Amino acid sequence: MKIERPRGTRDFLPDEMERRRAVERVMREIAESFGYREVSTPTFEHLELFTLKSGQGIVEEIYAFRDKSGRELALRPELTAPVMRMFVNECSVMPRPLRFYYLSNCFRYERPQKGRYREFWQFGVELIGSDRPESDAEVIMLAYRILKSLNVNFKLHVGHVGLLRDVLSDVSEKDRAMRLIDKKDWEGLRALLKEEGQADIFDTVIEISEASDVEKAREVYPDFDYSYLEVLFGILEEMDVRFVPDFGIARGLDYYTGVVFEMYAEGLGAQKQVCGGGSYRLSGLFGGEDVPSTGFAIGFDRVVQVCSVEILRKPKAVVVGFGDSIRAFRVAEMLRSAGIHAIVDVMGRNVKKQLSYADSIKADFAVFAGDELERGQVRIKNLRTQEQEDVSLKDLRGYFSGFLNSGS
Ligand code: ATP
Ligand code: MG
């Protein structure tokens, strides 16, 4: 019986993993260059962690289950709540601000389609401890630099949920209204506002969603303090971060309280959002003091799909043995110490078959573990140029150094 993998999950073969690791390396390096350090939290948590504040949209998608003692658990659908739980439990006395990053798999029971999976990966950061526009600026800049370095063609939208929440202040089902705005479900929103006797603010919501800068938003809704946004926008402009002010961003997650931003990439069709983030307050809810934080989550799988990244590979040699496997293993060890990848025949093949295997796996060199060894040499054939030469075992590193990190 052939067993299929569960719906919405994927297998990653070596070529794909190599690409994913290359993308990951860029993200890690940039985050670390901003002073962020990696953290890791459990794959499953108490269900409650995600039902407290994440919002109805996510709760409906949660993989929840009971363990053998009847505890209600959930596979993590996102990382912000787990990281803030960890912060409250483990890090509340550490010097602030704290800068954390993560790359982890998340699970959501969604309808699988291109760019939407039931197991997917998020690369994200949390900057914990500041409520100043500089912290939003830094986090936005970091996400922006990552996507730029990966040559993703994207647009950045930046807004503030406080504005819409203010406009909706007399609506009792505010979170539901925000979710409808997030999905741009205008008919749903119109019906909800009408139900609540607030039909007259529908037009304000639309006009705010369409305002293209602070001046326009102020004309539509003067009762909001725009100074925080003006400082943030000023920094982003000076730092060459190109963005579109967008006061209609509502975000699906209910815990955002201030600045919010999203990035949309070309070439992904409907699932084009590759990053979402903003500032929020969650630690108080999880039993800690109320600490302001800012963060983002990049949809790793979607970025892998549309980015271009250089994949650095070490040269690969096939050791051609002549029936003496110990000799072949010894040569392979010397090649590995010389910094290249070495592959030994484990199939008892003849020389011709070993060479054709070398060809089929696109090896760069064939290294013959033959009689030259008696003279302290190996014969090396460069499979790209077909050139062949005898190289002293002492000079192996020197011979291969010219090929290392050349990328292929
Ligand atoms: P969407 O509107 O696409 O469902 P979301 O608002 O649910 O996104 P977030 O919770 O903010 O997304 O997660 C951050 C990022 O993770 C998204 O911008 C997206 O790139 C990615 N993402 C979310 N859900 C999935 C999924 N099921 N499969 C792959 N990537 C996903
Ligand atoms: Mg979603």
Side-chain angles (χ1 to χ4, degrees):
M1 185 181 67
K2 206 168 120 200
I3 299 178
E4 305 289 341
R5 52 173 195 267
R7 197 165 135 74
T9 63
R10 288 156 298 159
D11 297 312
F12 301 106
L13 292 172
D15 283 346
E16 178 72 7
M17 277 316 291
E18 226 164 41
R19 184 171 159 78
R20 291 173 70 89
R21 292 297 187 202
V23 174
E24 179 183 330
R25 202 169 303 133
V26 171
M27 292 183 177
R28 284 177 189 282
E29 274 171 14
I30 297 176
E32 286 173 14
S33 79
F34 276 65
Y36 287 70
R37 299 181 68 206
E38 186 175 14
V39 293
S40 175
T41 62
T43 305
F44 55 89
E45 297 269 1
H46 290 294
L47 173 62
E48 200 187 6
L49 178 66
F50 303 110
T51 51
L52 274 175
K53 194 68 191 158
S54 289
Q56 198 54 36
I58 256 194
V59 169
E60 282 161 11
E61 297 170 352
I62 280 182
Y63 272 94
F65 59 98
R66 276 181 197 279
D67 71 4
K68 292 184 182 180
S69 307
R71 294 182 191 93
E72 285 202 276
L73 301 172
L75 298 180
R76 59 179 168 222
E78 53 106 17
L79 269 298
T80 299
V83 169
M84 291 317 289
R85 176 203 49 70
M86 178 191 74
F87 165 74
V88 169
N89 295 348
E90 320 279 346
C91 322
S92 52
V93 299
M94 287 165 77
R96 293 183 199 162
L98 288 150
R99 291 180 167 88
F100 292 149
Y101 80 86
Y102 57 79
L103 171 63
S104 305
N105 50 350
C106 301
F107 307 84
R108 294 184 191 176
Y109 194 79
E110 301 203 74
R111 194 169 67 79
Q113 48 197 293
K114 188 166 172 274
R116 193 175 291 287
Y117 312 98
R118 290 183 173 175
E119 182 187 24
F120 64 99
W121 273 256
Q122 284 190 344
F123 180 93
V125 311
E126 311 298 340
L127 171 52
I128 304 165
S130 164
D131 62 356
R132 295 176 54 87
E134 286 82 355
S135 61
D136 294 297
E138 174 177 298
V139 163
I140 292 172
M141 213 186 313
L142 173 49
Y144 190 89
R145 298 283 180 251
I146 286 175
L147 294 187
K148 279 282 173 208
S149 301
L150 288 164
N151 304 300
V152 176
N153 193 353
F154 68 98
K155 285 211 160 58
L156 160 65
H157 287 211
V158 185
H160 195 299
V161 283
L163 186 48
L164 281 176
R165 286 192 175 270
D166 247 29
V167 175
L168 298 169
S169 56
D170 292 331
V171 175
S172 62
E173 289 207 69
K174 218 177 287 152
D175 288 342
R176 209 179 116 208
M178 291 297 276
R179 261 191 317 277
L180 292 168
I181 296 171
D182 181 44
K183 298 284 173 229
K184 308 249 175 287
D185 180 355
W186 303 127
E187 285 322 302
L189 180 70
R190 195 196 293 274
L192 172 74
L193 294 178
K194 203 165 160 209
E195 243 170 67
E196 296 215 7
Q198 302 281 339
D200 50 318
I201 60 176
F202 180 78
D203 288 344
T204 314
V205 171
I206 298 289
E207 281 174 53
I208 282 176
S209 303
E210 288 169 355
S212 53
D213 54 42
V214 169
E215 279 64 54
K216 295 237 172 58
R218 196 180 264 126
E219 274 169 35
V220 181
Y221 193 78
D223 300 339
F224 184 76
D225 181 1
Y226 292 89
S227 56
Y228 189 102
L229 274 178
E230 282 169 327
V231 175
L232 171 65
F233 288 179
I235 299 174
L236 294 178
E237 276 156 19
E238 284 300 316
M239 298 310 292
D240 286 328
V241 173
R242 285 175 204 281
F243 67 98
V244 180
D246 182 347
F247 306 102
I249 302 179
R251 306 289 298 127
L253 299 165
D254 286 350
Y255 51 65
Y256 290 104
T257 48
V259 167
V260 282
F261 59 97
E262 295 183 340
M263 298 181 183
Y264 315 102
E266 299 274 318
L268 280 170
Q271 293 0 292
K272 63 181 197 288
Q273 193 186 307
V274 287
C275 177
S279 50
Y280 59 89
R281 288 171 180 269
L282 273 180
S283 53
L285 199 68
F286 299 158
E289 67 178 292
D290 181 37
V291 182
S293 307
T294 306
F296 68 72
I298 287 178
F300 184 77
D301 310 87
R302 295 182 188 176
V303 170
V304 168
Q305 238 174 62
V306 291
C307 73
S308 72
V309 67
E310 191 185 6
I311 297 173
L312 291 175
R313 283 194 197 93
K314 285 192 170 179
K316 182 158 69 180
V318 160
V319 179
V320 180
F322 297 88
D324 184 341
S325 50
I326 292 177
R327 203 148 82 166
F329 278 129
R330 286 220 170 94
V331 169
E333 298 271 71
M334 289 188 263
L335 294 170
R336 289 170 197 141
S337 326
I340 72 164
H341 295 171
I343 294 157
V344 174
D345 174 48
V346 291
M347 307 281 279
R349 284 177 171 149
N350 65 29
V351 171
K352 188 162 172 253
K353 287 208 169 129
Q354 291 184 54
L355 283 170
S356 88
Y357 179 69
D359 197 43
S360 68
I361 63 167
K362 299 191 171 68
D364 304 290
F365 301 97
V367 178
F368 297 89
D371 294 336
E372 302 81 3
L373 275 168
E374 322 272 314
R375 303 194 302 269
Q377 291 185 325
V378 279
R379 179 154 300 166
I380 301 179
K381 183 173 183 186
N382 182 325
L383 297 173
R384 305 267 166 262
T385 62
Q386 305 301 317
E387 278 161 35
Q388 196 161 289
E389 64 181 287
D390 287 352
V391 178
S392 158
L393 294 174
K394 293 195 298 285
D395 298 335
L396 282 179
R397 182 168 283 278
Y399 176 85
F400 289 115
S401 64
F403 302 101
L404 284 173
N405 295 326
S406 56
S408 59

